[in-house]
Amino acid sequence: MNTEILTYILILFPLVGFFLSGLLGKFLPKVVVGSSSTLVVFLSFCLASVIFSRINSESPPIVVNAFKWFTIDGIQIDFGFQIDQLSIMMTMIITGIGSLIHLYSIGYMSQDKGFCRFFAYLNLFVFSMLLLVMGSNYLILFIGWEGVGVCSYLLIGFWFENWEYGKAARKAFIMNRIGDLGLLIGIFLLAKEMQTLDYISVNENASKFSLDGPMILFITVSLFIGAVGKSAQVPLYTWLPDAMAGPTPVSALIHAATMVTAGIYLVVRSNALYSLAPSVQEGIFFIGLLTAALAAFYALRQNDIKKVLAYSTVSQLGFMFVALGLGAYTTAMFHLMTHAFFKALLFLGSGSVIHAMGGEQDMRYMGGLKKFIPVTHITFLIGTLAISGMPLFSGMISKDEILTVAFVHNGFYWVILFIIAAMTATYMFRLYFLAFCGEFRGTRDQKDHLHESPANMTLPLVILAFLSVVGGFINLPHFVANGKWSKLSLWLDPLINETAKNKFEADMTSLSIGTEMGLLISTVVMFFLVGYLVRHFYVTKKQLPLPENEYRGWERLSANKLYIDEIYNVLFVKTAEGLGKAGRMFDRDILDKSLDCVGIGAENTGNALRRFQNGKVETYLLIMSFTIGIILVINFLVFS
């Protein structure tokens, strides 16, 4: 079967699953719905693997045009798909991890009355994300972009009977629309300036823009605003922690494999444009750095297990944008991949913990869980070690590459990122020790309810734990065999702008092996030191988190997220509500009453005239006589 047919089938499988679950799900057993929804995504992964085996790092892009879509002002837009090293990498992450999350959801959502609806939304989510990453032009990307936005709204607000969950869904939807407006403006400007939206044509003709020229700055900033909204960067990041309102598998899908990775994909796909806008790249770097720092600070004193992981995602996305801002596009994609492994593992592991605890998410009421849920415990520990920087684990290798690139540009950047990495290890070890070590602190009913999750929930954990350990070996540090083991860098090499590629190579080769080893040793020492200190504090000394209202100083600021949500609420939500109330008051008390007065006046006039239109002849004779008399009197007065 040729690649073109495989591409169509790969993309359509999740859409078929969506219609099957959405239209026929209520007539089928849950096991059929869950299994078929999982199978279609897994089959897409298998087809992606087949396509992956047919291309190599030197293969040119394969464009599959389904049909000519429309032509406007001489711009021909085709509805097609592009198979290249970047799109197939993203496709395998989406479908591979997506199929594991679907399998996990069969057990997690087995008792939910919205089981069929949930799987329909999941399949539609995967289909939209495939459109986003496999489309051959920016317009198809935008269709998928909006598709994942709608699906996130449906899934975050899945339990819509809860008013707060509905608010979280609306918050995510509205904040993403702000970013989407920027993306749409950027697409329009690209079409106007380049007379095309195809990726290949845009990259080939990007040199028509002058370096840091006004138009390229406006286009790249507009596209980046879209990335800021979708990938939850400052200032549009507050929606992502609230997205925890959805079921835990939704959190795993959004945070690990789909929605939040879209912004990184967009910038990497547009790297030829961003290489011509170094000023914008500098802005991307500082936005990423600020986001990584703020989110890590917030996570230090969160007690909800999912909130800690949510702010962790925001912080790790900040690391990826730091890499993008430094022009290290393959490094950003490397951390995106490893992050997908260990963050999916951590979220699904937290779901297994919540499942065992009967819905409890507060870590202060956990403790000692490693005795009750051993598979969840060991896999969660692996995920914690990976994100915290355990030597040779995937997260350590990819994050250390970002720190190394930062060091080349400015040693001070490395220091800041090093501190953020230490904060990451701190809040993750805190989460692990509070949840799994010590004595159980929950109720007797919760303790009696504790049990390991079923096999369809633990199997994805085991697979993701394995990937979290070995995933980093796909792109070992540059000094290992002179970069010959940097397989991911070699794989993405054809898609990276020559200027950015040469600069990255020059930066990495400028470092001596001794310096790079010194940086590596520093992060390893930091990992073990932080692990020891946090364990000493929470396990040896048996310290427990204080209630939020007892925090003081920096702890209070961390627990309350610097009150950013409250500030946004006053500045934007309350302002919008005030304008809405003012508009309603104007409509009800002024406009409506003014129109009512007109109506009442017309009605009263009609009532008055109705007295004379009563159908009685004598009344009409009287009126005529009276009128004639008035006329005669007036004439007499005038002519006399």
Side-chain angles (χ1 to χ4, degrees):
M1 193 177 295
N2 63 40
T3 302
E4 180 176 342
I5 300 300
L6 290 179
T7 301
Y8 291 142
I9 298 174
L10 186 162
I11 292 174
L12 289 175
F13 262 141
L15 186 62
V16 171
F18 163 69
F19 283 115
L20 180 64
S21 300
L23 298 178
L24 303 178
K26 62 181 179 181
F27 305 109
L28 299 172
K30 286 185 176 180
V31 65
V32 174
V33 175
S35 300
S36 61
S37 298
T38 304
L39 181 62
V40 293
V41 180
F42 179 70
L43 290 174
S44 290
F45 171 73
C46 293
L47 294 179
S49 302
V50 172
I51 297 174
F52 172 78
S53 68
R54 294 181 179 181
I55 62 177
N56 55 52
S57 59
E58 298 178 355
S59 299
I62 301 171
V63 177
V64 180
N65 285 326
F67 53 86
K68 293 188 182 300
W69 196 1
F70 64 87
T71 302
I72 181 169
D73 288 340
I75 305 174
Q76 173 66 49
I77 304 295
D78 294 329
F79 196 97
F81 308 100
Q82 181 168 315
I83 305 300
D84 58 23
Q85 291 80 2
L86 178 59
S87 64
I88 202 64
M89 173 188 174
M90 289 294 297
T91 299
M92 292 186 70
I93 292 173
I94 294 162
T95 55
I97 295 180
S99 59
L100 293 176
I101 293 172
H102 276 69
L103 176 61
Y104 177 96
S105 300
I106 296 175
Y108 191 87
M109 299 295 292
S110 59
Q111 304 302 315
D112 197 282
K113 62 181 180 181
F115 186 87
C116 302
R117 179 166 54 92
F118 180 79
F119 276 94
Y121 292 165
L122 281 190
N123 278 173
L124 185 61
F125 206 146
V126 172
F127 169 73
S128 299
M129 194 65 193
L130 289 177
L131 271 185
L132 193 157
V133 301
M134 296 188 72
S136 61
N137 59 61
Y138 284 94
L139 202 55
I140 299 175
L141 175 143
F142 187 74
I143 295 173
W145 194 277
E146 292 304 297
V148 295
V150 171
C151 292
S152 68
Y153 170 77
L154 295 172
L155 287 167
I156 294 169
F158 182 76
W159 290 318
F160 56 85
E161 295 91 347
N162 185 310
W163 176 252
E164 291 301 317
Y165 293 174
K167 284 174 62 178
R170 291 195 297 276
K171 182 177 182 180
F173 191 77
I174 292 169
M175 293 193 80
N176 271 274
R177 298 293 74 71
I178 297 171
D180 294 355
L181 176 61
L183 174 60
L184 195 58
I185 291 171
I187 292 174
F188 285 158
L189 289 173
L190 266 179
K192 176 179 179 295
E193 292 297 316
M194 307 199 75
Q195 297 299 298
T196 183
L197 288 175
D198 293 338
Y199 296 138
I200 295 176
S201 300
V202 168
N203 289 334
E204 288 176 349
N205 299 305
S207 58
K208 68 168 287 185
F209 295 110
S210 58
L211 188 67
D212 259 348
M215 186 51 66
I216 190 65
L217 290 178
F218 206 97
I219 290 173
T220 50
V221 167
S222 297
L223 296 178
F224 178 59
I225 290 172
V228 165
K230 198 66 75 184
S231 293
Q233 298 295 287
V234 171
L236 302 178
Y237 68 96
T238 57
W239 70 268
L240 190 55
D242 288 359
M244 299 302 96
T248 301
V250 174
S251 304
L253 194 63
I254 291 176
H255 287 247
T258 56
M259 186 168 172
V260 297
T261 64
I264 289 88
Y265 169 81
L266 173 63
V267 176
V268 174
R269 177 61 79 185
S270 308
N271 70 86
L273 300 175
Y274 282 95
S275 295
L276 293 168
S279 299
V280 177
Q281 281 190 299
E282 189 174 340
I284 292 174
F285 169 80
F286 285 111
I287 290 291
L289 191 66
L290 179 60
T291 304
L294 285 178
F297 176 71
Y298 299 160
L300 289 172
R301 284 297 177 266
Q302 300 302 311
N303 294 318
D304 185 315
I305 188 171
K306 288 177 68 176
K307 279 289 179 71
V308 175
L309 296 178
Y311 282 112
S312 168
T313 298
V314 178
S315 184
Q316 297 305 304
L317 290 168
F319 272 94
M320 297 175 209
F321 276 99
V322 163
L324 294 175
L326 296 173
Y329 299 106
T330 54
T331 302
M333 290 302 300
F334 182 32
H335 196 54
L336 181 151
M337 182 191 70
T338 61
H339 177 263
F341 297 153
F342 57 70
K343 187 51 62 69
L345 170 60
L346 290 169
F347 265 112
L348 296 184
S350 72
S352 185
V353 169
I354 295 167
H355 182 266
M357 291 287 296
E360 180 62 67
Q361 295 183 198
D362 195 321
M363 297 184 296
R364 292 171 296 184
Y365 305 112
M366 297 180 185
L369 295 181
K370 63 182 180 181
K371 297 178 292 187
F372 303 98
I373 46 176
V375 178
T376 300
H377 162 247
I378 191 64
T379 53
F380 197 96
L381 175 60
I382 290 172
T384 301
L385 294 175
I387 189 175
S388 301
M390 176 73 178
L392 300 182
F393 278 33
S394 61
M396 177 265 181
I397 298 174
S398 61
K399 193 185 298 180
D400 188 71
E401 188 170 312
I402 297 175
L403 268 67
T404 302
V405 175
F407 181 85
V408 173
H409 284 77
N410 190 315
F412 184 62
Y413 296 163
W414 180 87
V415 172
I416 297 175
L417 289 170
F418 182 84
I419 294 171
I420 298 172
M423 293 164 68
T424 302
T426 301
Y427 64 68
M428 285 307 305
F429 279 125
R430 174 179 180 268
L431 186 161
Y432 169 75
F433 289 130
L434 284 175
F436 291 96
C437 299
E439 298 298 323
F440 183 72
R441 299 182 296 276
T443 64
R444 168 56 63 180
D445 289 342
Q446 286 175 329
K447 189 172 184 178
D448 293 340
H449 183 269
L450 289 173
H451 62 282
E452 186 58 273
S453 299
N456 56 6
M457 292 176 65
T458 55
L459 178 60
L461 298 181
V462 173
I463 296 172
L464 289 168
F466 173 75
L467 293 173
S468 298
V469 174
V470 305
F473 289 93
I474 198 172
N475 208 59
L476 289 175
H478 192 272
F479 65 82
V480 179
N482 292 321
K484 292 181 180 178
W485 286 97
S486 302
K487 298 297 184 183
L488 186 62
S489 297
L490 296 174
W491 175 257
L492 294 175
D493 189 69
L495 299 174
I496 304 303
N497 177 266
E498 203 66 33
T499 303
K501 188 162 47 179
N502 292 338
K503 186 175 184 303
F504 178 74
E505 282 297 319
D507 288 343
M508 298 308 291
T509 53
S510 67
L511 273 181
S512 66
I513 294 179
T515 302
E516 198 163 352
M517 287 296 295
L519 298 176
L520 185 62
I521 292 171
S522 298
T523 57
V524 171
V525 170
M526 176 271 291
F527 165 80
F528 285 108
L529 179 61
V530 169
Y532 170 77
L533 292 175
V534 176
R535 186 183 186 280
H536 176 74
F537 191 78
Y538 288 106
V539 178
T540 305
K541 297 182 67 176
K542 298 181 180 180
Q543 296 287 337
L544 293 178
L546 296 171
E548 281 84 352
N549 59 358
E550 295 185 21
Y551 282 134
R552 294 293 180 271
W554 73 266
E555 292 183 307
R556 186 166 190 171
L557 292 174
S558 173
N560 291 285
K561 294 89 68 180
L562 294 179
Y563 298 96
I564 296 296
D565 277 312
E566 289 77 5
I567 294 171
Y568 280 10
N569 190 57
V570 171
L571 291 179
F572 303 111
V573 178
K574 294 299 182 184
T575 301
E577 288 178 350
L579 291 173
K581 289 178 180 178
R584 184 175 61 183
M585 184 181 301
F586 174 78
D587 181 62
R588 182 186 58 198
D589 297 339
I590 298 177
L591 191 60
D592 276 0
K593 289 185 177 179
S594 299
L595 295 174
D596 287 346
C597 288
V598 175
I600 292 170
E603 183 179 4
N604 291 337
T605 302
N607 289 334
L609 293 174
R610 188 170 58 191
R611 296 178 182 179
F612 302 103
Q613 298 292 329
N614 55 15
K616 296 180 180 180
V617 177
E618 59 270 26
T619 301
Y620 299 149
L621 290 173
L622 178 62
I623 293 172
M624 290 173 61
S625 301
F626 181 76
T627 304
I628 293 170
I630 292 295
I631 293 171
L632 291 173
V633 170
I634 291 173
N635 285 331
F636 174 77
L637 293 175
V638 171
F639 292 108
S640 65

